[in-house]
Amino acid sequence: MQHLDHDRLVFLALGESEAADGEATHLDTCDHCRGEMETLQHVAGLGAGTQGLAELPDPPEHIWQGIVAEIRAAEELPTLTDRRLPRPADPVEPAAVPVVARRPRRTRRWPGWATTAVTATAAAVIGVAGTAAVLGGGGGGEPADPQPSVLASAPLAAFGSTPKDASGDARVLGDNRLHLHVANLPTVPGYYEVWLIDPNTMDMFSVGTLSNGSGDALLPIPPNVDLRTYTVVDVSAEQYDNKPGHSGDSLLRGTLTG
């Protein structure tokens, strides 16, 4: 039994064309082709279903490195026309070989736009899976929750002399982490640090640092921090001066509620 070409199954799975009568009959009777078709449809459906997800942090860098490695490996695979049959060690007499008429097998290269479509779908699925793992901390076969519960939140507004277009928001997640989103922070010669502050005593806990002035970060909350007391989220500009205390240069602040 000759199976359907893989690129033809991709077209059918993406809904780019309808199955001809012979193809539909083959899919009904061939477990191999039907299984591959269902897998491709599942991947395409997952990619389409992720379009509504928003405000998620970027997947880990190793996810994208894996995607690039898979694409490069696929590009380096030889085509059928590149393969050569080994020459026999001993020549065979022509009369000993029955003459059989064969139809030349046509090979098709997958069109570039189809490769791009399937690669983008796979990247979307892998990227969303990686993001869900980051947010939900999933592992060991347990499904990860792409949207953990939010225990408290705070809008972050420009503080002091910070430009007014700087903004952000903070969310305390149910897995004891702080999801921080910032935008338009001014460029600083040092780095950005995130603090939790007790507004009554001004005692502070450092939660972590941000890699740039716009984007998202997930930071672990110290286990000995009582969020009923340390209710103020502060983003400050710090210098590389080996001083662990707050610089006094706050850029954003907000009070957690919830």
Side-chain angles (χ1 to χ4, degrees):
M1 177 185 296
Q2 182 175 355
H3 298 297
L4 297 180
D5 288 343
H6 177 75
D7 55 346
R8 179 58 179 162
L9 289 174
V10 171
F11 277 103
L12 295 175
L14 293 176
E16 294 296 333
S17 61
E18 297 292 333
D21 291 341
E23 292 173 333
T25 301
H26 181 83
L27 289 172
D28 288 338
T29 57
C30 177
D31 292 339
H32 173 80
C33 290
R34 186 169 62 253
E36 186 173 357
M37 175 78 164
E38 291 173 352
T39 299
L40 291 169
Q41 289 175 328
H42 178 65
V43 172
L46 288 175
T50 62
Q51 299 303 311
L53 294 179
E55 297 184 359
L56 297 179
D58 292 336
E61 182 63 25
H62 71 271
I63 294 292
W64 298 117
Q65 292 175 353
I67 295 172
V68 172
E70 291 289 344
I71 294 174
R72 288 177 178 171
E75 291 174 345
E76 293 173 0
L77 289 176
T79 62
L80 292 176
T81 56
D82 293 332
R83 299 176 183 175
R84 297 291 184 268
L85 293 176
R87 298 181 61 183
D90 298 318
V92 179
E93 292 296 330
V97 181
V99 178
V100 179
R102 294 179 179 270
R103 292 182 59 187
R105 182 177 179 181
R106 293 186 303 162
T107 60
R108 286 190 298 165
R109 296 187 63 85
W110 197 348
W113 71 265
T115 303
T116 302
V118 175
T119 300
T121 300
V125 173
I126 296 173
V128 170
T131 298
V134 170
L135 285 178
E142 294 296 329
D145 182 3
Q147 295 180 337
S149 59
V150 178
L151 304 181
S153 61
L156 304 179
F159 185 84
S161 60
T162 305
K164 299 305 179 185
D165 62 340
S167 63
D169 60 76
R171 298 186 301 163
V172 177
L173 304 181
D175 56 3
N176 207 41
R177 288 190 291 179
L178 184 69
H179 175 215
L180 200 70
H181 173 78
V182 297
N184 302 319
L185 290 182
T187 302
V188 298
Y191 60 97
Y192 308 102
E193 189 162 1
V194 182
W195 306 80
L196 290 173
I197 303 176
D198 178 350
N200 297 317
T201 64
M202 295 308 294
D203 289 337
M204 301 181 182
F205 270 96
S206 174
V207 181
T209 61
L210 303 179
S211 58
N212 54 61
S214 293
D216 294 81
L218 275 174
L219 304 173
I221 298 174
N224 56 334
V225 171
D226 186 349
L227 293 177
R228 294 171 299 181
T229 302
Y230 290 85
T231 57
V232 174
V233 179
D234 176 278
V235 179
S236 67
E238 300 293 331
Q239 300 286 338
Y240 293 109
D241 53 11
N242 199 30
K243 295 180 180 179
H246 192 286
S247 65
D249 186 8
S250 293
L251 303 176
L252 296 175
R253 277 194 185 179
T255 301
L256 293 169
T257 60

